[in-house]
Every structure is written in C-alpha cells, then in structure tokens.
Amino acid sequence: MTPDLDLVPFVPELVLVAAAIVGLLYEALARGPRYPVHLAVALAGIVVASGATLALWRYGGDPTVLAGAIATDRLAVLARLTVLGAAFCGLLLGTHAIERDPAAARGEFFPLLLFATTGMTLIVAAADLIVVFLALEVLSLSLYVLTGLPGRRAASEASLKYFLLGAFSSAFFLYGVAMVYGATGTTRIPEIANALVGRTGEQGLALLAAALLLIGLGFKVSAAPFHMWTPDVYQGAPTSVTAFMSAATKVAAFAALIRVFDVGLQALRWDWTPLVAALAAVSVVLGSVLAIAQADVKRMLAYSSVAHAGFILTGLTASNADGIGASLFYLIAYSAMTIGSFAVVGVTTTRGEDRTDLDAYRGLYRRDPHLAAAMALFLVSLAGVPPTAGFIAKVGVFGAAIGAGYVWLALLGVLASVAAAYVYLRVIVLMFMVEPEEALVSDPAPLPRIAIAIGAAIVLVLGLFPGLVTDLVRSAAVLRW
Amino acid sequence: MVRLPLVLLFSAVLFSAGVYGVLARRNAVMVLMAIELMLNAVNVNLVAFATALRDVVGQVFALFVIAVAAAEVGIGLAIVILLYRTRESINVDEVNLLRW
C-alpha cells in the first residue's frame, strides 16, 4: 500500500512552521530593531494559513489523509480559524508589549507563538492519537517557554508550575493512549470507534483509558479539579501570552476532546458522559465561587476561565451534533471575549504587568470611556447577559444538556452564572460609578485597540445576529469518519 | 516469554512510583525525573501491547515518546535554571509568589 500523499489539508501547518523558521533565522542573523519584520512575517504566515484553511471548507477528498493522521472535516476548519484569529490578536498584543518595554523584548516570541499555533491547528485536525500527542506537546512546550520568556520572577515561577503540572498531565494522557491502543489495537481515532462498536465483553481497559484521557485533556482545558495551574499561570505570564493561550489553548484542547470522545469513544458514551457532567459541575461551581475572592483581574479572569470550561463541558454531555455545535459556538464566543478582556487589562494603565489589581479600574470611565465601554461589553458577555455572544452561547450549551437529560446540570449552570455575575458587575461598578483615586493613565497604543475592536465586534455580532454562524457551526458539528 | 498482565502490572507500579515522586518530592529536578519515570512506564506499556498484538505501531509510538521526553527535559531544565538564577533555590515549596 502506498501512503496517500494528499498534502492539501496539511498546508496551514506547513505555512505556519515555515513562517516560524523564517522568524527564527531572522532573529539569529539580523541586527537592530527587529520586531516590525518579525510581526510582518508572523502575520503573513497566519493570514496565508487562514486562507489555506478557508479553502478546506469545501474539501471533497477522503475524511482522513496522510495515512489516517489528519482529519479533513469542517470541525477542523472552524476550530483552526478560531485558533488563528486568537493568534492574530495575540501577535498584536505581544508586539505592543515589546514596543512598550524594548529592554525585556525577546524576538523568539514570534516564532514560539507560531509554533504554539501550529500545535493547536494540528491537534484540532489530528485523527491519530500519535498526532494528538505530538501536537499537544508542540503547543505545550511552546507555551511553557512563552510564559517564562520575560524572565521576571513571577513569570519564571508561573512557567515552572505550568511545566511541571503540564508534563504531569501529559503523562496521564499518554497512559490513557497506551490503554486505548491495548484495548483496540490501533491509534487511529476512526478505527478505535469501529473496534469499540458492538463489543459486549470486557471493557475495563477502554474505560480506564477514557478516564485517563479525560484527566489529561481536563488539565489542558483547565476544568476543575485539574485547574490548579490556571490562576498562577494566567497571572504570571505576560498579559499578551495570557490572552492568546486562554482562548487558543481552550479551543485546541476542546476540539481534541470532542474528536477523541465523540468519535473514538462514541461507543462508550453512556460511561463517560456522567464523568464529563461531574467535571462540568465542579468547574462551574468552583470557578464562579473562587472568582469572587480575587483582587487581581488576571486571576479573576483565570477562575472565570475555569467556570467557562465547565459551561463548555456542559454542552458536551450531549454527545451528539447539538452538543458539539453548542460547544463550538461557545468556544468561538469565549475566545472573542477572553482575548478582548485580557487586551483591555494590558492597556488599562501604562504600567502593564505591575498594575493588574482591581484598584486600577477605579473610575476607568473618566480616564478612558472607550476602554471602559469595551471592558464592560466583555464582562457582560462573560456573565452571559443578552444581547451579547455569551448569552447565546450559554443558551446553546444549557439547551444541549437539557436535551441529553442533564437538567440538574443546566440548573446548576444557571445558578452559577448568577453568582458569577456579581464578579463581573463588581468591576463594572468600579469602572463607572467610583471616582478614580490615583492619577493613572491608560495606554493609548493602537495595536491592542485593534485586538479589542475585533473582540468587541465579534461579541456584538454573535450576540445580535447568531444566525450568521449557527449554520457554519451546525455543519462543522457533523463529524464524518 | 513474559506474560502480558505481568508487564502491565510492572508498568502500573512504575507509573505509580512516578506519580508518588511528583507529589512527594520537593526538588524540581527530582519532580522532573519522576515525570520521566511516568513516561517510561507508558513506553513499557506501548511496547508490551505492540508485542502482544504483533503490531508495529506501538513501538513507533514509543520512539516518538522518547523523542518528546528528551525535548521536555531540555525545556524543563532550562526553566529550572531560569528560576534558580532569580531565586537561588529550586525547591517547589518555595515557589509561592503566586498563590490564591
């Protein structure tokens, strides 16, 4: 058998890796101020990769190519586009951080961000557990370094914590993969699905594998009780990196989770959906409650990210196209709101990483009404209030959970949303109804404002006209294999 | 010919030893070594399954895992050195600037 060498579905990754290598060589050889060229190369890579991804929407070839390694379905296309959008905004924010503090600038930021993006776009299309593992490591290893890149004490501590817990969770994931291989004799996700269908005898090995895989991916999506690293890493990492990884890692890891569980382990869904429901319940409650206690905006958004992981898992308790579609919509909406809110955090004061406490938001409306309005929009969307994307997304996942018979989970989610609304409204009150106490100045730089504008536009458009993407999401949620 | 359940038991013990090491050790380098132990337990599993199934995929996968584990150690030690430069300590209990 000659291997099928249809490289078209793999072009986005090839483009990203090529741009990253060009960036690395340029960093090694060039002299003088380098970030404009770096930014141009990286943006060109992302734009070309997005174009190649868009062309895959109408791809008519086999469901998997390259000897079953890469899936060509629309889930991969939509998730890739979301990741690439997050990377685009992350590049703008990172460039601004370098402009503001040239002494701490590292040119490796650009290639590393592209490598992380490559891992993420690869994992959403991976149809073989070997590729899932490799992509997971490519994105994780790049993110560990990106987290510690500034070399400040908080960043290096965050980097160590992220690395140790991330490697720990990868080992669990890998043990699960070995168990799947032992139970089914293959690592290709569609073949795993076929091997498990209609089997009535001993399923112990496969069930153990499902639990271990859920632990490993639960770490990456920062679902409680595997969320311990999230607040520390989100706070310690540079804000631009936090913005990128909070959105893109979640999309990538959730897309992998959807493919592994809703395709590969579909036959065992009666066994794993209660586990997913339990993770969702714990994440939603813990994330919402612990966010209330935070005095730092980045930590608050980190716990909010745990809660949102819970909401997305709520949608996945319905292991059908409805649930996958609702979760995909949630991932797109969440990416826009989290990148937007971290972008605002980055420019609230000119002092960047030093001032991420809630006090810096006192009277923001007086200082910078546009910034305050954008932050309010993102917070309202995170809370799930209409007419924003967050509201439509929450309705979708709760509807999917109710359809699957998890009414208690949907009720718990609604209650937790109400509790979490306090967290977001507190910041809005600080921004609009309190007089500023210190003479702080917000950063007027244009690049982060572009990212904020993109995020705000997506949050509003998805909130007001969700019909624009629901059809796309619905056709992406039908997995063919 | 060693029987498969015996090998799986061995790898489970190895993996558990690694998990214990990650949770109990305070030195970051020792934690890193415990993680390596966990990855190697997986390799034993993969090769054992590959032999039992008379399939080559498991062995190929084990080679990938070895390569990735080497990259992981490289980055892990770099991060430990970075931390040692700023803190003069690699005790994970003292990494407490960020908590709650």
Side-chain angles (χ1 to χ4, degrees), chain B residues 82-96:
Chain B
L82 176 72
L83 196 70
Y84 185 74
R85 279 197 191 143
T86 52
R87 314 252 342 268
E88 300 281 308
S89 159
I90 52 169
N91 189 325
V92 287
D93 279 346
E94 291 168 22
V95 180
N96 54 8

Side-chain angles (χ1 to χ4, degrees), chain A residues 129-130 133-134 137 141-142 144-145 148-149 151-154 156-161 163-165 167-168 170-172 174-175 177-179 181-187 205 212 232-233 235-236 290 294 299 303, chain B residues 8 11-12 15 18-19 22-23 28 31-32 35 38-39 41-42 45-46 49-50 53 55-61 64-65 68 71-73 75-77 79-80 82-83 86-87 92 94-100:
Chain A
L129 288 175
I130 299 182
F133 168 67
L134 288 177
E137 288 300 314
L141 292 177
S142 312
Y144 303 149
V145 181
L149 208 56
R152 285 175 299 109
R153 182 170 161 183
S156 51
E157 283 194 8
S159 179
L160 183 75
K161 271 189 189 167
F163 171 77
L164 289 179
L165 289 172
F168 191 53
S170 294
F172 277 98
L174 205 51
Y175 204 79
V177 173
M179 290 296 155
Y181 176 60
T184 62
T186 176
T187 56
L205 215 50
L212 288 166
D232 285 349
V233 173
Q235 190 189 357
L290 289 177
Q294 304 308 322
R299 278 185 103 70
Y303 278 109
Chain B
L8 294 187
S11 104
F15 191 82
V19 173
V22 172
L23 299 178
V31 175
L32 202 57
I35 290 172
M38 294 167 72
L39 292 180
V42 175
N45 255 343
L46 286 170
F49 281 133
L53 295 162
D55 182 42
V56 77
V57 174
Q59 298 180 23
V60 175
F61 202 162
F64 274 113
V65 174
V68 169
E72 211 164 65
V73 170
I75 286 184
L77 288 178
I79 292 172
V80 170
L82 176 72
L83 196 70
T86 52
R87 314 252 342 268
V92 287
E94 291 168 22
V95 180
N96 54 8
L97 200 61
L98 305 162
R99 190 158 286 175
W100 277 87

Side-chain angles (χ1 to χ4, degrees), chain A residues 257-278:
Chain A
L257 197 135
I258 288 170
R259 204 180 291 283
V260 170
F261 281 84
D262 279 322
V263 176
L265 302 174
Q266 178 71 17
L268 300 176
R269 65 181 176 282
W270 302 115
D271 297 301
W272 61 254
T273 45
L275 291 179
V276 169

